[in-house]
Amino acid sequence: MRRVGLTGGIGSGKSTVSAMLADLGAHVIDADAIAREVVAPGTEGLAALVEAFGPDILAADASLNRAALADKVFADEAARERLNAITHPRIAARTADLLRNIPDDAVFVHDVPLLVEVGLQDAYDMVLVVDAPDEVRVQRLLERGLDEPDARARIAAQATREQRLAVADVVLDNSGSLDDLKKQVERAWTTIVGDE
Ligand code: ADP
């Protein structure tokens, strides 16, 4: 199985690329979706979080109130470690379950927003980075409904473009049109499948 790590800062177009790769035949595992799944309402993961951080991390509908949890772990290293000790093994187990269903001759794309921040780059045969200038990313996030201070704060909280580009095997430059992006994705796909 060829293992491809896909990342890009918020608003870079990573989700768009992920969908394009799935269309081309990649088996995509979305790390963010799994992170949400393991603490979804009714899960044992969410129960473990409530046990550790108290029932006030729950919203009225018994789902996780992410902002409330973020407040508790913000600026508290030990709390963050407790949070990771609950979520990370569950995410890893669920990812391993899904990986078992991917055929050996397939291309596995792991869509990981924080791949660089977490330091996962060595886990893949190839790392694809979706790149766009910060101003373009801000503009796209505004169009997606974020306000500007929020968009800039989210970008600032992540790795820099330079940090991401430093681990990239292939850079997809998404400063142009979607059509231009698609051509680059198709080229990258040819490289991946040709790279037996
Ligand atoms: P990410 O997953 O990196 O946060 P998305 O793929 O969700 O980014 O893209 C952010 C927004 O920008 C989406 O609304 C998407 O449709 C739009 N977008 C992505 N690439 C382009 C592009 N080349 N031209 C115009 N809009 C784009």
Side-chain angles (χ1 to χ4, degrees):
M1 187 192 300
R2 275 139 300 165
R3 294 165 177 260
V4 177
L6 171 66
T7 194
I10 182 166
S12 64
K14 179 191 57 61
S15 307
T16 305
V17 169
S18 180
M20 288 174 177
L21 287 167
D23 281 346
L24 289 166
H27 292 249
V28 178
I29 294 182
D30 178 338
D32 253 12
I34 293 180
R36 287 191 299 271
E37 196 184 302
V38 298
V39 294
T43 56
E44 168 277 323
L46 184 55
L49 286 183
V50 172
E51 171 91 30
F53 296 102
D56 50 330
I57 62 163
L58 292 178
D61 64 356
S63 68
L64 178 61
N65 179 342
R66 284 174 190 281
L69 179 60
D71 279 348
K72 290 197 188 242
V73 303
F74 180 73
D76 183 346
E77 177 72 31
R80 266 203 307 278
E81 277 170 19
R82 261 183 293 142
L83 170 61
N84 290 340
I86 292 169
T87 56
H88 287 184
R90 289 169 173 84
I91 293 169
R94 179 69 184 137
T95 305
D97 273 353
L98 293 172
L99 262 175
R100 271 191 284 279
N101 293 325
I102 299 182
D104 267 352
D105 60 353
V107 174
F108 158 50
V109 171
H110 203 191
D111 175 342
V112 190
L114 299 183
L115 188 150
V116 172
E117 289 82 346
V118 177
L120 274 181
Q121 52 269 16
D122 294 336
Y124 309 101
D125 301 315
M126 186 188 284
V127 173
L128 297 188
V129 169
V130 188
D131 180 57
D134 290 355
E135 288 312 311
V136 173
R137 293 165 62 195
V138 168
Q139 213 47 51
R140 288 188 184 141
L141 292 173
L142 297 188
E143 280 160 28
R144 213 161 71 179
L146 265 64
D147 63 37
E148 186 167 340
D150 192 18
R152 291 195 186 277
R154 283 169 192 245
I155 288 174
Q158 296 187 337
T160 62
R161 284 176 78 189
E162 290 68 28
Q163 288 170 320
R164 255 183 235 100
L165 294 176
V167 307
D169 295 301
V170 175
V171 178
L172 302 166
D173 170 11
N174 190 22
S175 56
S177 68
L178 281 171
D179 214 44
D180 184 38
L181 179 65
K182 181 132 188 278
K183 290 200 184 85
Q184 295 178 65
V185 171
E186 283 165 354
R187 264 203 301 279
W189 179 253
T190 307
T191 310
I192 295 164
V193 295
D195 217 23
E196 300 274 357

